[in-house]
Amino acid sequence: MNMIFKNAQLVLPHEVVQGSVAVHDGLITSVDQGPALHAHGWDLQGDYLMPGFVEMHTDNFERHLMPRPKVQWAEMPALLAHDAEVAASGITTVFDALGVGDADPDSLRGSTWDKVLQVLDFAQTAHLLRADHHVHVRCELPAPNTIDLFQPFHAHPRLSLISLMDHTPGQRQWENIEVARVYYTGKKGWSNEKFERQVLHAAELQARYAAPHRAYFVNYCHANHIALASHDDTTAAHVQQAHAEGASMSEFPTTLLAAQTAHANGLLTVMGGPNVVRGGSHSGNVSAAILAQQGLLDIVSSDYVPGSLLSAVVRLVDDGIYSLPQAVATVTHNPALATGLKDRGQIAVGQRADLIQVRLVDLPQGGRQGVVRAVWREGERVI
């Protein structure tokens, strides 16, 4: 398939220029300055042309699979709805984050993922999906059943990333125990009495399972060449342990110290798009903007709001923290490199033609909103 994208503001790795992009057989074959007004092709009418976003940690698929507590949705419609939502948000490569490990058998993370993986494989083979889907397994280290529930992912070709989690109240994300109480009593509907019981039980499970489970998954990543991420690092020791284990990124560090230590050890830092957009963490942890101001924000993940990627890019630019190419790199080139995808994430010759057309709109109440107007994956229009 041959195509020319013309009359665009091209967001290149280090600058924004008016120009055109030629595509052949799904790859970018030329990047030229000038509007190319008389060439036959897709006229962006002065809109921005950006690389397709690379989302390496989103809970959105899980949200569609269980839209309400203990309400499970059928796998195929959940996948298709999730896929359409992320693609419409400008995401052309998505790492579906699927959690394993939970003592509650009624939760998604406490049950098997066999059917979900079967549906994902079928949908991809049948060309039903708009985005390129990979799998990110989030391993809850203190859960007794984590290794058993991981079995369906063994040697799965879409498994590209594993992150190590420990949500024991009183440390990491839930260092502030009262913030944890608000979350579990609010979102999960626990009583205060149940919360207190679970806090004690969680500490017992952590002492028994966290260390051996951590060793298991670190060894699995090394043996199978899977990217490894730490999660909710709070102290320098957390980051140093992850670095020694071979992690390439620190997801959602909760303190400035953890982010500084990650950079000092060569780990890329990942923060949530909602954190950027809202101006702070919903868990009371360090602000993504503070990290960005100190040059410590490498990757933005949509986390639980797919549309937050573009909104975060605009916020970082409008707040004067990053240039547009720098902000776009946090949702394209940087996550692609961190997960070993060297064929995408930039508008450059030889890269995949994963591209999005974006218009920036001035809002009546002030500020700007990015609007995704069209999306192409490997040169094929999907939105």
Side-chain angles (χ1 to χ4, degrees):
M1 178 181 178
N2 299 321
M3 190 170 185
I4 293 177
F5 298 86
K6 63 181 185 177
N7 193 20
Q9 296 296 317
L10 306 179
V11 182
L12 303 180
H14 304 292
E15 60 182 343
V16 179
V17 301
Q18 184 183 38
S20 62
V21 171
V23 172
H24 177 68
D25 288 343
L27 299 177
I28 296 173
T29 55
S30 70
V31 180
D32 302 295
Q33 292 198 32
L37 293 176
H38 300 294
H40 178 70
W42 183 270
D43 188 347
L44 276 80
Q45 302 176 333
D47 286 346
Y48 289 95
L49 187 67
M50 300 180 182
F53 297 159
V54 178
E55 169 51 63
M56 42 72 62
H57 178 129
T58 176
D59 303 334
N60 197 57
F61 190 16
E62 287 191 347
R63 180 175 65 83
H64 280 282
L65 285 164
M66 186 170 280
R68 291 288 187 273
K70 298 187 178 182
V71 176
Q72 296 213 19
W73 207 246
E75 291 84 2
M76 182 60 80
L79 173 60
L80 295 177
H82 158 61
D83 174 68
E85 184 177 356
V86 298
S89 300
I91 297 167
T92 52
T93 301
V94 58
F95 285 71
D96 298 323
L98 306 176
V100 296
D102 194 323
D104 182 359
D106 292 327
S107 74
L108 283 173
R109 298 177 181 181
S111 53
T112 181
W113 290 103
D114 295 77
K115 290 184 179 179
V116 170
L117 289 176
Q118 291 168 9
V119 165
L120 181 58
D121 289 341
F122 171 79
Q124 195 91 348
T125 303
H127 305 289
L128 302 179
L129 302 176
R130 302 166 189 260
D132 182 19
H133 287 251
H134 298 252
V135 170
H136 169 182
V137 177
R138 304 178 60 194
C139 303
E140 187 63 38
L141 300 180
N145 53 2
T146 299
I147 291 178
D148 290 338
L149 293 175
F150 179 72
Q151 293 307 310
F153 298 97
H154 267 270
H156 195 279
R158 301 193 198 287
L159 175 58
S160 304
L161 175 62
I162 286 176
S163 58
L164 306 178
M165 305 190 303
D166 185 341
H167 287 103
T168 303
Q171 48 95 69
R172 292 187 180 259
Q173 180 181 4
W174 302 125
E175 187 174 30
N176 185 326
I177 199 74
E178 291 309 313
V179 173
R181 184 191 304 274
V182 170
Y183 175 84
Y184 283 102
T185 57
K187 183 174 180 178
K188 303 231 179 225
W190 292 3
S191 65
N192 280 313
E193 292 74 17
K194 180 175 181 179
F195 177 77
E196 296 293 346
R197 291 196 305 271
Q198 291 299 116
V199 167
L200 294 175
H201 185 51
E204 296 170 359
L205 293 178
Q206 183 189 51
R208 182 173 180 181
Y209 293 106
H213 284 180
R214 189 178 189 103
Y216 175 89
F217 289 110
V218 168
N219 290 335
Y220 183 90
C221 287
H222 286 305
N224 294 276
H225 308 289
I226 303 294
L228 177 66
S230 61
H231 192 79
D232 293 335
D233 294 323
T234 301
T235 67
H238 289 159
V239 178
Q240 289 160 353
Q241 179 182 13
H243 174 253
E245 293 166 338
S248 61
M249 67 195 91
S250 173
E251 290 187 329
F252 314 121
T254 68
T255 63
L256 176 59
L257 174 62
Q260 291 170 330
T261 308
H263 260 231
N265 285 275
L267 276 69
L268 298 178
T269 55
V270 183
M271 294 295 280
N275 186 319
V276 177
V277 175
R278 296 176 65 250
S281 163
H282 77 279
S283 303
N285 298 316
V286 69
S287 163
I290 290 176
L291 300 192
Q293 289 164 359
Q294 300 200 25
L296 299 173
L297 174 60
D298 300 303
I299 296 171
V300 175
S301 160
S302 70
D303 199 4
Y304 55 93
V305 182
S308 69
L309 287 187
L310 181 54
S311 295
V313 166
V314 176
R315 179 71 182 267
L316 288 169
V317 174
D318 286 354
D319 286 352
I321 301 174
Y322 284 167
S323 69
L324 183 58
Q326 288 174 323
V328 168
T330 67
V331 297
T332 56
H333 181 60
N334 295 350
L337 284 185
T339 51
L341 300 175
K342 299 180 180 179
D343 62 345
R344 67 198 75 184
Q346 291 184 324
I347 296 180
V349 173
Q351 290 273 287
R352 281 171 47 132
D354 293 352
L355 301 165
I356 61 174
Q357 178 182 356
V358 172
R359 182 169 298 175
L360 296 184
V361 179
D362 293 321
L363 299 176
Q365 64 270 35
R368 296 190 297 173
Q369 175 66 49
V371 180
V372 176
R373 297 184 53 80
V375 179
W376 295 264
R377 180 163 70 93
E378 295 184 287
E380 178 183 352
R381 190 178 180 194
V382 295
I383 293 290

